[in-house]
């Protein structure tokens, strides 16, 4: 394994001589000590990261007791190193001299301490208990079999039925079937909440939510306020969309107009995206005749067109991209993810791609992670900092490309839409808002963020979990369950991330805000096209712009990365402007209608 020692070289241009000489700056003794320490820390981190990831990959792509046992052992080995008390105390000691250390060094030490808090070996039995509980929870989640009328139904088929069924009784049955995993997952989640909180507090964080928020350099209250502010700024548009949607769906299902939208009327299991509502922008039929292989290859082509290299060859042999074939007893996680197995070139994606628009956008999203991995895998970025500028940046890259891949000119260039397709621009903008942006914010900044903050930071008692969940869905999303949901259910736990990526989901809301800022900059300043109809395809300048952000990894503060790239601070300005043409259109449509649900 090759590890970059920190570069202490400074280049000093000697203009008179017309040459560039390289002089060694004298590093301080404490910097030298940190360099030696971090060489060891990075090596151990990367080595165990790979061993652990290999085992986790096997466990999620083929759930068996043997793979679970191996995953558990590997996770314990990784924690034994990453959470080692000697590492923790040396990192802390070095950070007391932070003024004498380079920024890159300080960032690595901070990251090391965040990693250590995931499995602090100052309390080995706690770490063992957490790893065991995590493994068990993942195993239940990844092998859960949903049933409809007593027959197994895949997650893809649940989603497909919710996309297409116009029968409300059937929709309700499917929706209710999708909630069956909650009770199976609740006991493990109750246990994990406490174990995760104890791990975080072992190293001085208030709770596990606070630990995840520390990756943004923020406190919990600050982060929750940031998300509340997003929602305040977006609420006028959301209320118009919500009103338009409930009238549209009431008409579709021949029902009286409700105050809040019944959850089973919406195509997404959690009402997180409101797709399929705008007929003139529905491109699902256009994927008939395309294959799942075409989807992932086309996604790769998006990136290579921007000037990025092809995915590593091993991506194609080691990834697990397609659904398990009917009759094959293998159980695998059905949610999409992308993995940087060795923090080098072993990049894999887990998906269950079917040829439809959902997987088309998801494939573009996942490769955003893949290309981010590739961009920061370079000697200048030490393994500990092979991360996004913050987790939201990682999600934002994929979301940006999803947005770009939904633009009509791009869809035409890939033969999804015919060359002579006459787009109804309002319909496409409305669909963008509903299916990729606004309801998603009220779910991600709203329900998910608030519920997890309550559960982890405020220790919400488990007998109030479901009531609190639906309180947020009702109040923030304006959605309600088809019938009351008592505490025997744990509807939050039906969402993958609640189990296997806790206190992370706010990153997707961050990503949504970020994607509009980056998109706005690209459309106006690089493409010189309107943000609502522009085409990134094959534009190398766009690629260079994105690469500059991604190749930094976690070496700079995320605020600086954004400011340097766009000249702007984080803001919903770009998102609000993008949808501005919709606001007056919606107001006209909604004239005389009751807006909102209170
Ligand atoms: O989980 C994902 C990705 C994997 S990182 C498919 N997303 C969120 C979700 O599905 O809930 C993408 C956007 C929202
Ligand atoms: Zn993602």
């Amino acid at each position: 394994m090759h590890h970059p020692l920190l570069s202490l070289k400074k280049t000093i241009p000697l203009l008179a001589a017309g040459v560039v000489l390289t002089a060694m700056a004298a590093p301080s003794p404490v910097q030298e000590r940190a360099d030696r320490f971090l060489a060891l820390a990075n090596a151990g981190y990367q080595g165990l990261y790979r061993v652990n990831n290999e085992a986790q990959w096997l466990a999620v792509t083929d759930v068996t007791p043997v793979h679970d046992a191996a995953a558990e052992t590997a996770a314990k080995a990784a924690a034994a190193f990453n959470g080692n008390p000697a590492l923790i105390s040396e990192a802390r000691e070095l950070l007391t001299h932070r003024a004498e250390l380079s920024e890159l060094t300080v960032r690595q030490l901070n990251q090391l301490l965040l990693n250590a808090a995931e499995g602090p070996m100052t309390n080995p039995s706690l770490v063992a208990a957490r790893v065991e509980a995590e493994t068990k929870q993942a195993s239940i989640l990844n092998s859960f079999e949903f049933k409809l009328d007593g027959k197994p139904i895949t997650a893809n088929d649940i989603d497909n039925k919710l996309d297409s069924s116009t029968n409300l009784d059937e929709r309700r049955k499917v929706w209710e079937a999708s909630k069956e995993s909650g009770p199976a997952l609740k006991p493990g989640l109750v246990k994990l909440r406490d174990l995760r909180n104890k791990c975080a507090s072992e190293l001085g964080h208030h709770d596990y939510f606070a630990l995840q928020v520390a990756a943004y350099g923020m406190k919990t209250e600050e982060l929750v306020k940031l998300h509340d502010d997003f929602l305040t700024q977006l609420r006028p548009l959301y209320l118009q969309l919500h009103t338009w949607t409930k009238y549209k769906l009431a008409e579709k299902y021949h029902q009286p107009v409700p105050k809040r939208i019944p959850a089973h009327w919406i195509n997404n299991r959690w009402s997180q995206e409101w797709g399929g509502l705008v007929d003139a922008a529905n491109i699902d039929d256009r994927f008939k005749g395309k294959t799942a292989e075409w989807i992932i290859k086309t996604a790769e082509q998006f990136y290579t067109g921007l000037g990025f290299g092809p995915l590593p060859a091993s991506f194609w042999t080691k990834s697990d991209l397609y659904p398990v074939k009917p009759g094959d007893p293998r159980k695998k996680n059905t949610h999409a993810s992308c993995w940087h197995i060795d923090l080098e070139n072993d990049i894999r994606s887990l998906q269950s791609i079917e040829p439809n628009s959902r997987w088309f956008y998801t494939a573009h999203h996942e490769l955003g992670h893949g290309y981010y991995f590739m961009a920061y895998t370079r000697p200048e970025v030490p393994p500990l900092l092979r991360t996004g500028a913050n987790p939201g940046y990682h999600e934002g890259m994929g979301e940006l490309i999803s947005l770009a891949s939904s633009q009509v000119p791009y869809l035409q260039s890939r033969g999804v839409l015919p060359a002579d397709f006459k787009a109804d621009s309002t319909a496409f903008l409305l669909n963008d808002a509903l299916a990729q942006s606004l309801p998603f914010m009220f779910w991600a900044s709203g329900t998910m963020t608030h519920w997890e903050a309550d559960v982890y930071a405020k220790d919400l008692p488990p007998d109030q979990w479901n009531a609190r969940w639906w309180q947020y869905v009702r109040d923030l999303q304006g959605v309600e369950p088809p019938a009351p949901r008592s505490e025997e259910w744990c509807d939050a736990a039906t969402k993958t991330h609640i189990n296997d990526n806790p206190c992370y989901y706010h990153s997707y809301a961050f990503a949504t805000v970020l994607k509009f800022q980056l998109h706005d900059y690209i459309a106006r300043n690089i493409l010189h096209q309107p943000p609502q109809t522009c085409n990134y395809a094959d534009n190398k300048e766009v690629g260079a712009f994105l690469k500059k952000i991604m190749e930094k990894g976690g070496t700079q503060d995320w605020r600086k990365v954004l400011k340097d790239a766009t000249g702007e601070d984080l803001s919903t300005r770009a998102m609000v402007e993008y949808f501005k043409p919709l606001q007056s259109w919606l107001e006209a449509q909604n004239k005389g209608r009751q807006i909102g649900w209170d």
Side-chain angles (χ1 to χ4, degrees):
M1 246 172 312
H2 168 77
H3 292 287
L5 277 172
L6 302 184
S7 169
L8 300 168
K9 289 181 200 162
K10 277 199 177 140
T11 50
I12 302 170
L14 289 186
L15 296 174
V19 290
V20 176
L21 287 185
T22 303
M24 296 300 287
S28 67
V30 66
Q31 179 71 55
E32 277 189 333
R33 176 173 154 192
D35 291 344
R36 278 194 305 273
F37 171 67
L38 284 171
L40 166 86
N42 275 300
Y45 170 67
Q46 185 171 23
L48 285 153
Y49 193 91
R50 187 181 123 210
V51 169
N52 189 24
N53 259 320
E54 289 273 16
Q56 302 303 328
W57 174 264
L58 264 183
V60 303
T61 55
D62 187 6
V63 185
T64 68
V66 171
H67 290 163
D68 285 350
E72 192 176 295
T73 303
K76 285 179 179 169
F81 183 82
N82 293 325
N84 190 297
L87 253 58
I88 295 168
S89 56
E90 177 66 354
R92 283 179 166 165
E93 160 70 19
L94 284 164
L95 281 170
T96 64
H97 305 280
R98 72 173 66 215
E100 296 160 64
L101 299 170
S102 71
E103 190 200 341
L104 192 65
T105 301
V106 171
R107 296 187 72 80
Q108 289 176 80
L109 294 170
N110 282 332
Q111 187 62 51
L112 182 150
L113 287 174
L114 294 181
N115 297 347
E118 294 289 344
M121 291 299 280
T122 46
N123 187 342
S125 60
L126 170 65
V127 173
R130 177 177 178 199
V131 169
E132 285 156 22
E134 296 281 3
T135 308
K136 193 166 165 210
Q137 188 78 346
S139 184
I140 296 172
L141 173 74
N142 298 334
S143 63
F144 190 83
E145 194 164 69
F146 294 100
K147 292 218 165 83
L148 185 67
D149 294 328
K151 286 196 227 62
I153 179 171
T154 65
N156 268 343
D157 283 337
I158 288 177
D159 294 340
N160 294 339
K161 277 207 192 309
L162 289 177
D163 273 342
S164 63
S165 172
T166 53
N167 176 329
L168 278 185
D169 293 335
E170 182 185 43
R171 296 188 66 86
R172 178 161 170 185
K173 270 201 334 206
V174 174
W175 185 88
E176 282 172 350
S178 80
K179 303 298 161 197
E180 294 283 346
S181 59
L185 290 161
K186 182 168 177 179
L189 190 59
V190 171
K191 215 168 154 184
L192 277 166
R193 184 265 301 267
D194 295 338
L195 293 168
R196 287 165 179 163
N197 273 349
K198 282 190 185 134
C199 282
S201 69
E202 182 74 21
L203 290 201
H205 300 272
H206 179 270
D207 60 85
Y208 194 76
F209 196 90
L211 171 63
Q212 300 310 307
V213 170
Y216 287 75
M218 294 172 92
K219 297 263 172 265
T220 298
E221 298 68 39
E222 219 184 321
L223 183 116
V224 172
K225 180 174 182 318
L226 176 74
H227 287 272
D228 282 343
D229 288 348
F230 290 159
L231 299 188
T232 303
Q233 291 145 20
L234 299 170
R235 192 163 281 112
L237 179 56
Y238 186 60
L239 291 179
Q240 293 293 331
L241 289 164
H242 181 274
T243 304
W244 182 87
T245 299
K246 72 186 181 190
Y247 277 81
K248 173 89 188 166
L249 288 174
E251 183 191 296
K252 177 172 174 187
Y253 298 125
H254 311 290
Q255 296 292 314
V257 178
K259 254 188 168 165
R260 296 183 181 76
I261 305 172
H264 64 300
W265 290 17
I266 296 172
N267 289 2
N268 177 278
R269 281 181 256 169
W270 305 276
S271 306
Q272 70 182 60
E273 290 129 15
W274 300 0
L277 290 165
V278 187
D279 296 334
N282 194 330
I283 60 168
D284 270 332
D285 283 351
R286 310 282 180 173
F287 289 94
K288 295 210 173 104
K290 307 260 187 247
T291 62
E293 289 78 6
W294 179 87
I295 299 260
I296 186 75
K297 276 289 179 192
T298 302
E300 182 193 30
Q301 221 180 73
F302 195 103
Y303 294 86
T304 55
L306 299 187
F308 292 98
L311 290 163
S314 60
F315 176 90
W316 299 105
T317 52
K318 295 189 166 181
S319 287
D320 187 334
L321 297 168
Y322 310 113
V324 173
K325 298 222 163 57
D328 181 340
R330 180 165 68 103
K331 297 268 190 296
K332 75 174 213 188
N333 178 302
T334 53
H335 196 83
S337 55
C338 198
W339 299 50
H340 201 185
I341 298 280
D342 58 353
L343 295 173
E344 296 286 341
N345 302 319
D346 187 348
I347 290 165
R348 304 177 197 172
S349 185
L350 169 60
Q351 302 189 49
S352 293
I353 304 175
E354 288 182 340
N356 58 36
S357 62
R358 239 178 321 105
W359 281 107
F360 184 71
Y361 299 131
T362 299
H364 283 77
H365 173 105
E366 291 314 320
L367 295 193
H369 293 301
Y371 279 95
Y372 214 142
F373 298 150
M374 285 161 73
Y376 58 55
T377 298
R378 56 195 190 103
E380 291 80 359
V381 181
L384 278 165
L385 297 178
R386 293 189 182 170
T387 64
N390 67 32
Y393 271 69
H394 234 295
E395 299 305 337
M397 257 341 123
E399 287 303 282
L400 175 68
I401 302 305
S402 283
L403 175 68
S405 70
S406 68
Q407 304 277 323
V408 172
Y410 171 69
L411 294 168
Q412 287 174 306
S413 75
R414 293 302 178 257
V416 177
L417 293 173
D420 61 357
F421 183 79
K422 293 275 171 295
D424 171 343
S425 61
T426 306
F428 273 84
L429 193 58
L430 179 61
N431 187 58
D432 264 6
L434 292 167
Q436 304 201 50
S437 310
L438 269 300
F440 185 73
M441 289 297 294
F442 285 77
W443 147 260
S445 284
T447 302
M448 287 290 277
T449 297
H450 283 86
W451 190 83
E452 286 199 296
D454 288 354
V455 164
Y456 287 90
K458 298 191 188 144
D459 242 348
L460 185 71
D463 63 359
Q464 297 174 32
W465 281 9
N466 218 33
R468 185 63 58 90
W469 174 259
W470 285 103
Q471 181 196 321
Y472 284 132
V473 175
R474 280 195 183 89
D475 293 352
L476 300 175
Q477 296 179 256
V479 170
E480 65 189 6
R485 306 282 299 167
S486 66
E487 295 297 334
E488 78 182 276
W489 302 104
C490 185
D491 293 322
T494 66
K495 186 71 195 166
T496 308
H497 307 70
I498 293 286
N499 303 287
D500 64 6
N501 213 351
C503 307
Y504 176 89
Y505 210 88
H506 53 85
S507 298
Y508 294 104
F510 180 101
T512 302
V513 173
L514 179 69
K515 86 172 166 183
F516 280 104
Q517 281 186 275
L518 297 178
H519 179 74
D520 187 75
Y521 183 90
I522 289 168
R524 290 179 204 276
N525 299 302
I526 302 180
L527 300 172
H528 307 289
Q529 293 170 14
Q532 296 87 349
T533 40
C534 63
N535 191 359
Y536 293 22
D538 302 326
N539 189 301
K540 308 290 184 272
E541 237 185 293
V542 173
F545 172 78
L546 296 177
K547 186 162 183 222
K548 227 174 125 182
I549 296 172
M550 296 196 291
E551 70 185 8
K552 292 183 190 349
T555 61
Q556 288 178 8
D557 186 89
W558 65 263
R559 294 175 186 81
K560 176 170 164 23
V561 175
L562 180 59
K563 191 92 173 192
D564 287 352
T566 66
E568 248 192 329
D569 293 323
L570 187 71
S571 147
T572 54
R573 177 205 59 82
M575 192 186 326
V576 169
E577 278 182 24
Y578 185 90
F579 292 116
K580 201 146 248 157
L582 268 188
Q583 183 82 22
S584 52
W585 183 89
L586 283 164
E587 281 167 14
Q589 302 288 312
N590 289 334
K591 212 163 166 220
R593 293 174 173 174
Q594 175 87 43
I595 309 291
W597 52 87
D598 280 327

